[in-house]
Amino acid sequence: MGKSKVTSLEVARRAGVSQSAVSRVFTSGASVSDKMDKKVRMAADDLGYRPNPIARAMITGKSRIIGLVFSYLDNQFYPLALERIIRALKTHGYHTLVFMAENSTKDVDDVVKELVAYQVEGIVAASVDMTNDLATLCEATGIPVVLFNRGQDDSRLSEVTSDNIAGGRMVANFLVGGGHKRIAHISGWQGSSTGQDRANGFLEGLSKKGVDPVAVEDGAYDQKRAGEITRTLFCGSDYPDAIFVGNDHMAFAVMDVLRFEFGLSVPDDVSVVGYDDVPIASWPAYDLTTIQQPIDQMVSSTVDTIMARIEGEPNPKRILIPGPLILRGSARKPKGFTA
């Protein structure tokens, strides 16, 4: 027979206090004296008591849990974001449940429905889309949703992204200013707002300079696919002299193919520019020129937004945060260029 779980009532009796006092001790942010806190925690340790946040949520309607939904962690940007979001939420007294979801309607729907069943107080969804039905479900159950690094055409959802259109436009100005004539773009997934916006900003920037791209291919944020596209683009003699890649994760694969399979110099033969500015981008092996996603500001805005919505702010927010072009050694630098 398994040992029965110790209840808060037993802890209260051992400590000689009320059951509500035990509840306050184990509720983040609740008012309780140091003497009371010490007495209750000693009794809890003696009995082996552990508070049950799910049971408390059923009683109080407050789980102090935020659900985080990520589609993948291969891109080095997302592990950093995940860690910082969790740490920031912890400072507000919230725990997190992290779920991975394939970027498909059914998988995201299933995950979010599971989070609703856990009575989370809010959901942060990173680079996944939500259906209108799912947004309606969250709205009906009073669970606010913030999209991180992904936009969506649903006014009920808050979103926090970098200014991807401006970033793409900045890269176009930079490459044209560097004298490049044959410019290609390996975009992020065109089913995502980030991939679309970066590509649209880039193509708009080229158009304003009177330049047509030699190729625009959907790399789908996948390193293997980005490498395959690079092999196709460089199989002949009339290859691009510059490539804007939709994120750093793909750009690393592009650079490896150019240097180690085609024997080309980056940037002497081909300039490469990425997007994100993950830590590896600054390593000497890549020294990647890239648009920096302002991750600290994005995380701070995301957490502030979800907290405000939980506390009763009725209006969703759409926040665009500009990021700078970080100049390194993977691309030819125009004289006097300013981002």
Side-chain angles (χ1 to χ4, degrees), residues 237-254:
S237 58
D238 198 18
Y239 53 74
D241 61 6
I243 306 177
F244 170 40
V245 190
N247 71 359
D248 293 352
H249 182 61
M250 292 190 296
F252 300 142
V254 170

Side-chain angles (χ1 to χ4, degrees), residues 78-96:
Y78 287 110
L80 288 174
L82 176 61
E83 177 187 359
R84 294 181 194 191
I85 290 172
I86 290 173
R87 288 182 182 276
L89 288 171
K90 187 175 181 181
T91 66
H92 287 272
Y94 278 81
H95 303 287
T96 50

Side-chain angles (χ1 to χ4, degrees), residues 27-29 53 56-57 60-66 89 92-96 119-121 307 310:
T27 299
S28 179
R56 183 183 300 139
T60 66
K62 301 290 184 182
S63 66
R64 307 293 294 182
I65 295 173
I66 303 294
L89 288 171
H92 287 272
Y94 278 81
H95 303 287
T96 50
Q119 299 187 36
V120 297
E121 292 190 45
M307 291 295 102
I310 289 171

Side-chain angles (χ1 to χ4, degrees), residues 54 63 65-70 95-101 107-125 128 130 134 137-138 141 143-145:
I54 303 301
S63 66
I65 295 173
I66 303 294
L68 307 181
V69 185
F70 282 69
H95 303 287
T96 50
L97 281 177
V98 181
F99 282 77
M100 301 301 297
D107 204 32
V108 175
D109 280 11
D110 289 346
V111 165
V112 173
K113 287 175 182 176
E114 190 169 354
L115 286 171
V116 171
Y118 274 104
Q119 299 187 36
V120 297
E121 292 190 45
I123 295 173
V124 174
V128 295
M130 294 178 64
L134 207 56
L137 170 64
C138 291
T141 52
I143 299 175
V145 177

Side-chain angles (χ1 to χ4, degrees), residues 255-323:
M255 292 177 70
D256 286 346
V257 170
L258 291 174
R259 294 184 299 186
F260 302 124
E261 295 185 27
F262 288 94
L264 296 172
S265 169
V266 177
D268 293 338
D269 296 315
V270 187
S271 287
V272 178
V273 178
Y275 204 111
D276 281 341
D277 194 31
V278 300
I280 296 175
S282 66
W283 291 8
Y286 293 105
D287 197 27
L288 179 64
T289 293
T290 184
I291 297 288
Q292 182 183 83
Q293 290 221 78
I295 187 170
D296 289 333
Q297 291 173 264
M298 291 172 68
V299 167
S300 176
S301 294
T302 298
V303 172
D304 287 347
T305 300
I306 198 76
M307 291 295 102
R309 296 281 280 148
I310 289 171
E311 291 165 10
E313 166 59 47
N315 300 315
K317 291 184 177 180
R318 298 204 165 192
I319 300 172
L320 284 176
I321 303 174

Side-chain angles (χ1 to χ4, degrees), residues 12 15 31 78 105 132 140 142 155 176 201 206 211 221 285 291 296 298 328:
S31 177
Y78 287 110
T105 298
N132 288 337
S155 60
V176 174
L206 290 182
V211 176
Y221 292 131
I291 297 288
D296 289 333
M298 291 172 68
R328 297 196 180 98

